[in-house]
Amino acid sequence: MGNSLKAIIAFVPSDECQKYLVEDLEEMPVDKMVDLSGRQLRRLPLHICSFRELVKLYLSDNNLNHLPPELEQLQNLQILALDFNNFKVLPLVVCTLKQLCILYLGNNKLCSLPLELRLLQNLKTLWIESNCLQCLPEVVCELSLLKTLHAGSNALRTLPAQLRCLQELRTIWLSGNLLSEFPPVLLDMPFLEVIDVDRNSIRYFPSLAHLPGLKLVIYDHNPCRNAPKVAKGVRRVGRWSEESPEPRKRSGAVIEITLDEKPATPPAAKFESE
């Protein structure tokens, strides 16, 4: 079916037309995965909610702004992708899917997350990048098993102190926000392995040498005057990293060293990490 025809049919909200967009998907696939990405969907066909053994549901790159309450029937769902849609609020029915391990919410229009998100206590990976978040919702700090948090390309200026409670967190991506200082709470999280604060407005970096778990810190594209100090073996990506020294002071003047910019953004493609 051509994309132009799909786009026309997508404007017709009848069940028949929406079902036509998913083509021949009448029964649950053997692999317990349904991928309806890029189908121009404006509503989720209800018969998908009858696939009660479904484990993975990909709804990326559609025109969805709500989900049916019948989605609650998918209690075995572990991966749900809702990125690249038109959600202004997260449908509460998502918070009833208590087996979810990975939730993709990037590239929507979310300004907040509901308190009910705390019900997803099996969640290990959360993608909320490219939304309209001006602060990291504190409910994220209640996801005790969270290992990976992608929160880049929002409008974050600070991080909540409660974030230190996430003792399973290993990777945090904060690229493309409005951080003017390195988030102090990250200094109290010795279990972090990857910290990405690329493309912010950080002018000074404190020492990170005391973080024993740290393996990689990405701090490029900040107006910083120093590189963060790290322990031996930790990789740094940014100005004055391993490839060249920091500026040296001579007679009170700072000698600037210009490096080629290195793109250091999180992977664009989704991956099923825990």
Side-chain angles (χ1 to χ4, degrees):
M1 187 195 306
N3 287 334
S4 58
L5 180 57
K6 283 185 178 181
I8 294 173
I9 294 176
F11 274 98
V12 183
S14 69
D15 288 338
E16 290 78 9
C17 288
Q18 296 298 303
K19 192 172 181 179
Y20 183 56
L21 292 172
V22 303
E23 299 171 355
D24 298 327
L25 189 58
E26 297 290 344
E27 298 180 356
M28 188 183 72
V30 176
D31 59 4
K32 299 182 180 181
M33 180 186 77
V34 168
D35 187 352
L36 299 178
S37 301
R39 301 294 184 96
Q40 307 285 341
L41 292 174
R42 292 183 176 272
R43 58 190 295 189
L44 178 64
L46 287 181
H47 76 281
I48 300 298
C49 300
S50 67
F51 300 165
R52 299 193 177 213
E53 300 302 314
L54 200 64
V55 173
K56 303 176 184 179
L57 177 58
Y58 296 93
L59 300 173
S60 307
D61 193 19
N62 282 292
N63 296 303
L64 300 171
N65 57 26
H66 70 281
L67 294 171
E70 288 82 358
L71 189 72
E72 185 177 4
Q73 299 176 40
L74 304 183
Q75 286 300 311
N76 290 297
L77 207 61
Q78 296 180 20
I79 300 174
L80 177 60
L82 299 174
D83 47 329
F84 292 94
N85 276 285
N86 295 315
F87 292 103
K88 293 183 179 180
V89 296
L90 179 65
L92 291 182
V93 67
V94 172
C95 302
T96 68
L97 306 174
K98 297 183 180 180
Q99 297 304 313
L100 279 183
C101 296
I102 303 176
L103 178 58
Y104 298 106
L105 299 175
N107 291 272
N108 279 284
K109 302 172 183 178
L110 300 172
C111 294
S112 63
L113 294 174
L115 293 177
E116 288 81 357
L117 190 73
R118 63 166 62 108
L119 299 175
L120 301 182
Q121 285 299 308
N122 285 306
L123 206 60
K124 296 181 179 179
T125 299
L126 177 62
W127 292 62
I128 50 176
E129 78 285 0
S130 299
N131 275 285
C132 305
L133 298 170
Q134 295 185 11
C135 59
L136 184 68
E138 291 187 5
V139 67
V140 172
C141 304
E142 299 185 45
L143 303 173
S144 60
L145 295 184
L146 199 65
K147 289 187 175 181
T148 302
L149 175 61
H150 289 263
S153 300
N154 281 284
L156 304 181
R157 296 180 182 274
T158 60
L159 296 180
Q162 297 92 320
L163 194 68
R164 64 169 59 92
C165 297
L166 297 183
Q167 298 193 14
E168 296 298 320
L169 194 64
R170 297 295 180 267
T171 302
I172 185 165
W173 304 91
L174 299 166
S175 174
N177 278 287
L178 301 176
L179 300 173
S180 60
E181 66 172 346
F182 186 83
V185 66
L186 300 184
L187 300 175
D188 296 329
M189 302 176 69
F191 35 80
L192 283 174
E193 297 179 356
V194 177
I195 299 175
D196 175 19
V197 289
D198 181 42
R199 299 182 187 278
N200 278 276
S201 300
I202 301 172
R203 294 186 175 275
Y204 171 77
F205 281 95
S207 174
L208 306 180
H210 67 288
L211 300 179
L214 195 61
K215 298 178 180 177
L216 169 66
V217 56
I218 304 171
Y219 64 95
D220 214 2
H221 307 100
N222 280 280
C224 55
R225 305 293 292 183
N226 72 310
K229 290 183 171 60
V230 294
K232 185 177 180 180
V234 178
R235 185 186 174 203
R236 299 183 300 179
V237 177
R239 300 179 72 194
W240 315 307
S241 59
E242 288 81 1
E243 289 77 12
S244 61
E246 292 187 37
R248 299 184 304 276
K249 288 186 178 181
R250 289 184 181 174
S251 301
V254 175
I255 301 174
E256 293 285 354
I257 299 176
T258 303
L259 299 180
D260 293 332
E261 292 188 346
K262 300 178 183 178
T265 54
K270 294 191 293 293
F271 54 88
E272 296 170 12
S273 61
E274 294 186 357

